Amino acid sequence: MTSFVRHVTVDCADAYRLGSFWAGVLDIPLTDEDKPGDPEALIQATGFGLLFIQVPEAKQIKNRLHLDLQPADRTRDEEVERVLALGATLVEDHRRPDGRGWVTLADIEGNEFCVERSAGERSGD
């Protein structure tokens, strides 16, 4: 039998706070065991988990791995505005005049991620 990815683990300064941010972005709650001040927090969906682990070191450089989000029920631009309202910051805007492209954002601890076009927006290509 081969292995599978159980979690993507993110080192962070405040596991509960960063986990709560991503729970809002993904609309998936933290597990019932997670409480403020805990050294870890988990978002678990079917076949996918994000595990946030508190570490003493601050983020130093650009991520070597990042998440690409595809909105399920809104446009890319609507999702960018929603996630910015949750506390993300704009890193770089790669949107093109023809509607293609993506937006690079950073979460509340500076971890980069991208928001791509929705499936509906891609079907017009």
Side-chain angles (χ1 to χ4, degrees), residues 80-92:
V80 167
E81 292 306 315
R82 186 184 78 83
V83 176
L84 287 169
L86 291 171
T89 56
L90 178 65
V91 174
E92 198 164 354

Side-chain angles (χ1 to χ4, degrees), residues 8-120:
V8 173
T9 302
V10 180
D11 291 349
C12 58
D14 186 332
Y16 186 81
R17 182 171 175 256
L18 188 58
S20 294
F21 169 84
W22 280 101
V25 170
L26 300 173
D27 196 25
I28 302 169
L30 291 172
T31 62
D32 293 338
E33 298 90 33
D34 296 318
K35 305 288 183 244
D38 286 351
E40 63 182 54
L42 176 63
I43 298 171
Q44 186 67 55
T46 304
F48 180 77
L50 282 177
L51 179 61
F52 302 91
I53 301 288
Q54 186 173 321
V55 298
E57 311 83 34
K59 181 180 180 290
Q60 300 282 327
I61 58 173
K62 183 181 182 299
N63 299 6
R64 297 286 308 259
L65 172 79
H66 70 265
L67 302 178
D68 289 336
L69 305 181
Q70 182 178 356
D73 59 354
R74 59 184 56 93
T75 67
R76 173 200 56 213
D77 296 346
E78 292 168 335
E79 183 69 348
V80 167
E81 292 306 315
R82 186 184 78 83
V83 176
L84 287 169
L86 291 171
T89 56
L90 178 65
V91 174
E92 198 164 354
D93 193 333
H94 300 278
R95 291 177 278 197
R96 297 188 222 152
D98 67 1
R100 295 180 182 198
W102 67 95
V103 178
T104 304
L105 302 175
D107 68 21
I108 59 174
E109 289 200 8
N111 301 299
E112 297 91 0
F113 63 98
C114 295
V115 180
E116 299 181 348
R117 294 181 302 155
S118 67

